[in-house]
């Protein structure tokens, strides 16, 4: 059965300009994670951003609260900006969380693209891929069986610069190998690093038509096989915007129209707070037809996910873990309908992803 999770980037204020207090927004994340568990979803994640309007600068802190508020669902990051973190600190924080959650933690790592990264951490957007690769290699060593000796490579701007000599970090994770997904939209070097370590990938699959993301997934599967790995072990996840599900497709489409129009206007004004965001859609109808967002009746949403599955072969799906521009009542009603009428059919048709590794490599 396909696994379906929610991810909240924890933006402060929706597209209509409404703004809860910071405290209320954090508490909303907690309630949404509990709701996802109660409705039978498989996981819940929080993003990491270090610029306005996002409040998700400290995922380990938020996830530590969620470990206490949930008992079954797996807990994700989406994404951990490993390009700007000290791998020693990240290794300690997330190993601790793995124990607190009783081994329910999974990471999605990425470079990030916020304009304030260079100012805050000294790692620019063009340098972040190099920093991410260096930091990921060190993270895996720190979670290994042997003491680590390490020196920062020259020419790569890093948040961590101090050398390590024959060190171990404590605690080590509860799981033998925490599953780490490599998140990206189009970066081939990201999926190539995933192949090297035998890791899964998570496609952003957010703002553009399917082909924009399918090329990277095909490259991942091709590189996986060229490395001599079993094609059946190439694990792919993908995000889907929304959902907004209603009994009648017309109701869902018309209710969501002003939400899309506000978002499109922000992109037009270059005010999305997501650098590089663009879309190739000519209209709202084109967005509904070719975009990944899950808007419509239960059957329409099922059909769209299955179309993407034919292209991606993904067996883990993320969708919106927050209400966004919807009212709380509309969000809860939509999510409940999605859980009751969409999720069972997707689980019937799409195969189960493999479980996290039970042995260290």
């Amino acid at each position: 059965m396909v696994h379906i999770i929610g991810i909240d980037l924890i933006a402060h204020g929706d597209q209509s300009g409404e703004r809860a207090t910071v405290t209320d927004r954090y508490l909303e994340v907690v309630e949404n994670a509990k709701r996802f568990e109660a409705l039978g979803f498989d996981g819940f994640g929080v993003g990491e951003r270090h610029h306005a309007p996002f409040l998700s600068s400290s995922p380990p802190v938020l996830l530590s609260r969620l470990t206490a508020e949930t008992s079954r669902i797996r807990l994700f990051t989406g994404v951990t900006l490993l390009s700007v973190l000290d791998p020693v600190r990240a290794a300690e924080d997330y190993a601790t969380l793995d124990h607190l959650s009783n081994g329910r933690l999974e990471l999605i790592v990425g470079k990030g693209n916020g304009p304030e990264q260079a100012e805050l951490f000294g790692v620019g957007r063009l340098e972040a891929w190099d920093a991410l690769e260096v930091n990921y290699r060190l993270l895996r060593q720190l979670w290994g069986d042997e003491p680590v000796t390490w020196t920062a490579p020259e020419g790569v701007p890093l948040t961590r610069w101090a050398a390590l000599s024959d060190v171990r970090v404590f605690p080590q994770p509860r799981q033998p190998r925490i599953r780490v997904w490599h998140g990206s939209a189009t970066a081939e070097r990201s999926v190539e690093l995933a192949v090297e370590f035998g890791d899964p990938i998570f496609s952003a699959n957010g703002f553009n038509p399917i082909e924009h993301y399918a090329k990277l997934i095909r490259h991942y599967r091709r590189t996986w096989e060229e490395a001599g790995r079993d094609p059946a072990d190439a694990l792919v996840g993908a995000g889907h915007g929304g959902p907004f599900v209603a009994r009648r497709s017309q109701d869902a489409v018309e209710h969501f129209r002003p939400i899309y129009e506000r978002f499109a206007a922000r992109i037009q004004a270059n005010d999305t707070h997501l650098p590089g965001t663009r879309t190739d859609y000519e209209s709202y109808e084109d967005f509904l037809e070719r975009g990944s967002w899950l808007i419509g009746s239960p059957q329409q949403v099922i059909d769209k996910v299955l179309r993407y599955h034919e292209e991606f072969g993904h067996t883990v799906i993320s969708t919106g873990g927050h209400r966004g521009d919807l009212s709380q009542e509309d969000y809860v009603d939509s999510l409940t309908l999605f859980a009751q009428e969409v999720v069972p059919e997707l689980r019937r048709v799409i195969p189960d992803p493999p479980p996290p590794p039970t042995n260290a490599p």
Side-chain angles (χ1 to χ4, degrees), residues 52 60 68 130 150 152 170 195 204 222 255 266 269 274 325 328-329:
D130 291 334
W150 176 88
F170 295 97
V195 168
R222 182 170 58 252
H255 194 99
R266 292 178 66 199
L274 295 171
D325 212 13
Q328 183 68 10
E329 181 181 2

Side-chain angles (χ1 to χ4, degrees), residues 301-320:
V301 170
I302 291 167
D303 291 344
K304 175 169 284 190
V305 173
L306 293 182
R307 288 203 308 272
Y308 274 81
H309 176 69
E310 288 179 5
E311 189 71 32
F312 292 172
H314 59 316
T315 53
V316 175
I317 295 169
S318 75
T319 189

Side-chain angles (χ1 to χ4, degrees), residues 90-119:
E92 293 172 337
D93 285 347
Y94 285 115
T96 301
L97 268 170
D98 197 40
H99 285 276
L100 289 173
S101 67
N102 199 28
R104 292 186 284 139
L105 181 66
E106 301 190 26
L107 302 185
I108 307 174
V109 300
K111 72 172 181 65
N113 60 3
E116 288 82 1
Q117 280 183 200
E119 178 181 345

Side-chain angles (χ1 to χ4, degrees), residues 38-319:
L39 288 172
F41 289 92
D42 301 286
F44 191 87
V46 296
E48 180 176 344
R49 295 289 190 276
H50 295 277
H51 57 91
F54 299 101
L55 303 176
S56 48
S57 57
S58 301
V61 177
L62 284 163
L63 287 169
S64 68
R65 174 70 181 268
L66 300 190
T67 65
E69 299 283 354
T70 62
S71 60
R72 177 189 59 80
I73 55 174
R74 297 194 66 78
L75 299 174
F76 288 75
T77 64
V79 299
T80 293
L81 302 188
L82 197 56
S83 59
V84 300
L85 302 180
D86 179 344
V88 174
R89 179 79 266 179
E92 293 172 337
D93 285 347
Y94 285 115
T96 301
L97 268 170
D98 197 40
H99 285 276
L100 289 173
S101 67
N102 199 28
R104 292 186 284 139
L105 181 66
E106 301 190 26
L107 302 185
I108 307 174
V109 300
K111 72 172 181 65
N113 60 3
E116 288 82 1
Q117 280 183 200
E119 178 181 345
L120 292 172
F121 302 103
V123 180
R125 292 173 61 191
L126 298 179
E127 304 159 324
W129 284 120
D130 291 334
L132 173 62
E133 180 174 342
V134 169
N135 287 344
Y136 184 63
R137 293 183 186 279
L138 178 54
L139 178 69
R140 278 304 190 194
Q141 290 183 65
L142 293 167
W143 280 345
D145 295 329
E146 302 296 329
V148 175
T149 295
W150 176 88
T151 302
E154 295 183 4
V156 180
L158 298 170
T159 303
R160 173 169 194 86
W161 54 269
L164 303 173
S165 179
D166 202 33
V167 301
R168 297 291 306 275
V169 297
F170 295 97
Q172 289 288 296
R174 184 184 188 279
Q175 298 176 83
R177 181 179 174 88
I178 291 178
R179 181 147 67 187
V180 178
W181 303 74
H182 295 250
S184 186
T186 58
E188 291 187 353
R189 64 182 298 182
S190 176
V191 302
E192 289 165 1
L193 184 64
V195 168
E196 179 181 340
F197 282 86
D199 293 332
I201 65 168
F202 217 104
S203 171
N205 195 38
F207 300 108
N208 289 282
I210 191 168
E211 183 59 27
H212 186 82
Y213 306 100
K215 290 187 292 186
L216 188 67
I217 294 173
R218 288 195 295 268
H219 180 71
Y220 170 68
R221 294 189 184 280
R222 182 170 58 252
T223 306
W224 185 276
E225 292 191 45
E226 290 171 352
R229 298 187 179 276
D230 186 344
D233 294 334
L235 177 57
V236 175
H240 284 274
F244 184 62
V245 189
R247 292 287 180 186
R248 296 191 335 136
S249 61
Q250 300 94 322
D251 294 338
V253 168
E254 289 311 308
H255 194 99
F256 201 80
R257 183 184 296 275
I259 298 173
Y260 169 81
E261 289 175 348
R262 281 194 291 269
F263 182 66
R266 292 178 66 199
I267 293 177
Q268 182 91 18
N270 194 26
D271 185 33
T272 64
H273 300 282
L274 295 171
T277 298
R278 64 180 181 83
T279 66
D280 294 326
Y281 306 117
E282 297 178 355
S283 64
Y284 178 50
E285 288 70 24
D286 188 33
F287 164 80
L288 293 174
E289 176 64 26
R290 298 196 298 136
S292 70
W293 286 55
L294 303 179
I295 312 299
S297 67
Q299 190 59 53
Q300 282 180 310
V301 170
I302 291 167
D303 291 344
K304 175 169 284 190
V305 173
L306 293 182
R307 288 203 308 272
Y308 274 81
H309 176 69
E310 288 179 5
E311 189 71 32
F312 292 172
H314 59 316
T315 53
V316 175
I317 295 169
S318 75
T319 189

